[in-house]
Amino acid sequence: MVEDVLFRNEDNGYVVFDLDAGGELITAVGELGDIEEGEKLKLEGNYVTHAKFGMQFQAEYCERMLPGTALQIRKYLSSGVIKGIGPSLAKKIVDEFGDRTLEIMENEPQRLLCIRGISPKKCESITSELKQIFNLRRLMTYLAKFGIKAKYAMKAFKKWSFQSMEIIEADPYRLCSYGVELEFSKAEQIAESVGIPHDSPMRIRAGITYVLLENANNGHTCLPHEKLKAKVCEYLKITEENFDSAYSTEVENGNFTEYFKESKNRNYSFLSDYYDAERYIAGRLGVMQAFSSPDTYDYEKMISDNEALTGIRYEKLQRLAISAALSKGILILTGGPGTGKTTTLNAIISMYVKKGEKVMIAAPTGRAAKRISDLTGYEAKTIHRLLEVQYDMDGRLRFAHNESNPLNCGVLVVDEMSMVDTLLFESLLRALKISCRLIMVGDSDQLPSVGAGNILKDMIDSHRIPVVELKEIFRQAQKSCIITNAHRIINGEYPDLTQKNNDFFFFQRLSFEEASAFVTDLCSTRLPKAYGISPVEDIQILCPSRKGTLGVIELNKRLQQKLNPSAKDRTEVKNMVYTFRCGDKVMQTRNNYDIEWSRDSEHGTGIFNGDIGTIKAINKADRIAVIDFDGRICTYTFELLEQIELAYAITVHKSQGSEFDIVILPVLGGFEKLYYRNLLYTAVTRAKKMLIVVGSQKKLCQMVDNARKTYRYTCLKEMLESEITNEHSVALPD
């Protein structure tokens, strides 16, 4: 029987409680849901030893048995399990109904009206809450038989309420849908138990959805139809005839959508959300471009006046970009490092401000927004913060700004467009007035977005959106080997590794252990001693991979041991992978829109994937950690620490949109799929003052030779070509 609940997490159902097991008091833990005092439980799991709390029982399965005696029931009701029933009222109810209390409360709740203090309204409230508790627990018990954790039952009940059991038994695969997101193999177990046939259209529909979602997680908004068919038939072990029959029905029902590319003579299959997003983007850009007829005003004098004011002389393509940005409704400004994108953008923004336009600036991540804000001197926000995140009744993310509540701006500048995914760009366009000018800045040679789509590249390749690509490397930038080598790399040439007195250095280390030790020594000792810098604030290690001796996980552990080792006066807490200590450099690994932060007198919510901070305090008694993200102070519960990891070393993918004074890049091989030109180019361009490459020159050259880009299946390019015909597209002079 549950004696005392010590801790609970309402979001994932994780609980810590003391259990009376035949007179022996045991501490049990697990994701078991709303455990309450007085409950009788049957648990299955294993004993584990916690570093601080000692022996605990880690429960993997829980079977609930409602308390059976009057004494147990009274303790159960006194625990606060039902709002409105405290110890005093619990005693009155149990004194009246004894061992049959819970049975009567469930089946004859009207009898509660005989208890003094329970009005008809309160009786109705108690009955409603008790019904929810009993139904949720039945659902938890049912799903636990298949090894499904309580958090999924809680999500399902939140989504479908009292219909949950009925919905799940009729179609277990709905547990894989948005809001619950159970893994497909678990739903398969339930489906088999309720007798859903192997070739059921329901199962095939779920399998198609699963394959498309998995590929969306890998960046594809769609798949060629024949590839989708092959993958689903192999995964589900069904015939092509089974697939064709179920698929055609689901297309008719609108669950999947097809798009035919004439250039490829090929059909592509979409989840409808991604098809609708790409179709909307193409249509909206076409409407915005058509609505904003080109301004025929000659801006040359205004540009020259700005040159005189700032002392900056713009080269030919910069002048073209400034003029195009001021005169056209949409513009893409692109170019590699050192080509003057920021200088050009500053001119565009300042001239729009002089014209009296309200300019807003946005970027995909917090670090990218901070960077462009520092470079331009104007406030920049993340796209999510600009659009103002909200949630609908199903817990699905929505934005406050949309077609019916557009952003109040005449010009929107979006930096780091290569990082913007399809669904986010759709939401952004929905929040813009048709008359709003849209300036998009980015480098399509960078890695594409984490989310599905290849927005910037597709727009450029369509030749339907005005593009100015800055190509000239300015004289000052030519002095930087970081910049010149970045351009060599993206052009397929090997970087110059002979320079020893500039900002790009290479050290050959051909064993993984030797390279790891050298990287650690550079970061912890050599560079801080030579330049008087902070190894935490001024140096960032970037890794192609997470795994291996030179991967993020192992290097982080090694660096932590050097830079922030265990000490008696240094509080620490563990998660599944890392031990965290006060002073550790950490990174948020997923978007969390609910975390509250404060900065001086400013308050807000939201810490996003890739945000880097420092642990300032750990309080084990309250089970919280305080983390500083560039001045935004947040309080994390210990459970939320699963969303962060050490950040002395991070992946190149996670570094997108950021710049660091000094970057150390280990290149020795490992997960070969990650050793390609665009990833190397992205890593090199993250360094502002110094880049140090450690590893194999041969492997570095192989990365340059490996010109494959991360190919993504999308149809946006073709949709843009169809939506904006050549005669209606806005061309720029050569």
Side-chain angles (χ1 to χ4, degrees), residues 515-583:
S516 176
F518 187 68
V519 166
T520 303
D521 191 41
L522 277 174
C523 182
S524 63
T525 306
R526 292 194 186 194
L527 292 174
K529 184 177 179 181
Y531 298 101
I533 57 175
S534 164
V536 175
E537 295 177 6
D538 300 315
I539 302 172
Q540 184 61 61
I541 297 171
L542 302 184
C543 306
S545 173
R546 288 182 56 80
K547 298 179 181 179
T549 308
L550 288 175
V552 164
I553 295 173
E554 290 304 316
L555 278 177
N556 267 322
K557 291 178 179 178
R558 191 161 188 161
L559 284 158
Q560 184 193 45
Q561 190 57 35
K562 277 281 189 180
L563 298 172
N564 197 26
S566 178
K568 287 184 179 179
D569 60 345
R570 193 170 289 148
T571 311
E572 59 183 44
V573 61
K574 295 182 179 180
N575 74 359
M576 295 293 289
V577 178
Y578 294 113
T579 296
F580 298 113
R581 304 183 183 114
C582 289

Side-chain angles (χ1 to χ4, degrees), residues 196-337:
I196 293 176
H198 190 70
D199 59 356
S200 163
M202 177 194 305
R203 179 174 181 264
I204 297 170
R205 179 193 69 219
I208 295 170
T209 302
Y210 171 76
V211 169
L212 287 173
L213 280 174
E214 283 293 294
N215 279 275
N217 290 336
N218 291 325
H220 307 290
T221 61
C222 57
L223 279 181
H225 180 70
E226 67 275 13
K227 282 185 175 287
L228 173 66
K229 182 191 290 191
K231 285 178 179 290
V232 172
C233 288
E234 179 185 6
Y235 185 73
L236 299 182
K237 308 299 183 212
I238 58 172
T239 66
E240 291 190 0
E241 290 76 16
N242 293 148
F243 175 91
D244 290 338
S245 175
Y247 177 79
S248 60
T249 300
E250 294 304 324
V251 170
E252 289 177 12
N253 292 337
N255 291 320
F256 308 118
T257 309
E258 284 191 334
Y259 182 84
F260 181 72
K261 284 189 185 181
E262 290 186 9
S263 60
K264 301 284 187 183
N265 193 30
R266 204 177 196 187
N267 266 322
Y268 289 76
S269 299
F270 283 84
L271 290 168
S272 293
D273 282 355
Y274 285 102
Y275 174 83
D276 292 343
E278 288 198 344
R279 177 57 77 188
Y280 180 85
I281 290 168
R284 188 68 173 181
L285 289 175
V287 169
M288 289 175 68
Q289 194 156 281
F291 183 86
S292 301
S293 56
D295 184 347
T296 57
Y297 182 82
D298 184 358
Y299 286 97
E300 285 300 311
K301 183 179 184 307
M302 191 175 181
I303 295 171
S304 297
D305 289 345
N306 199 69
E307 284 181 326
L309 182 66
T310 60
I312 297 171
R313 185 168 182 80
Y314 306 114
E315 55 94 13
K316 180 181 176 182
L317 284 175
Q318 287 182 303
R319 295 181 75 93
L320 175 62
I322 297 167
S323 179
L326 294 170
S327 62
K328 303 182 189 309
I330 301 175
L331 178 72
I332 295 172
L333 175 63
T334 186

Side-chain angles (χ1 to χ4, degrees), residues 337-339 473-484 503:
T339 57
I473 305 176
F474 284 88
R475 186 176 302 168
Q476 186 65 28
Q478 289 175 1
K479 298 177 182 178
S480 166
C481 285
I482 293 174
I483 291 175
T484 56
D503 55 6

Side-chain angles (χ1 to χ4, degrees), residues 364-380:
T365 66
R367 292 185 71 84
K370 184 177 185 302
R371 174 178 168 273
I372 194 64
S373 183
D374 291 343
L375 290 173
T376 63
Y378 292 89
E379 182 189 14

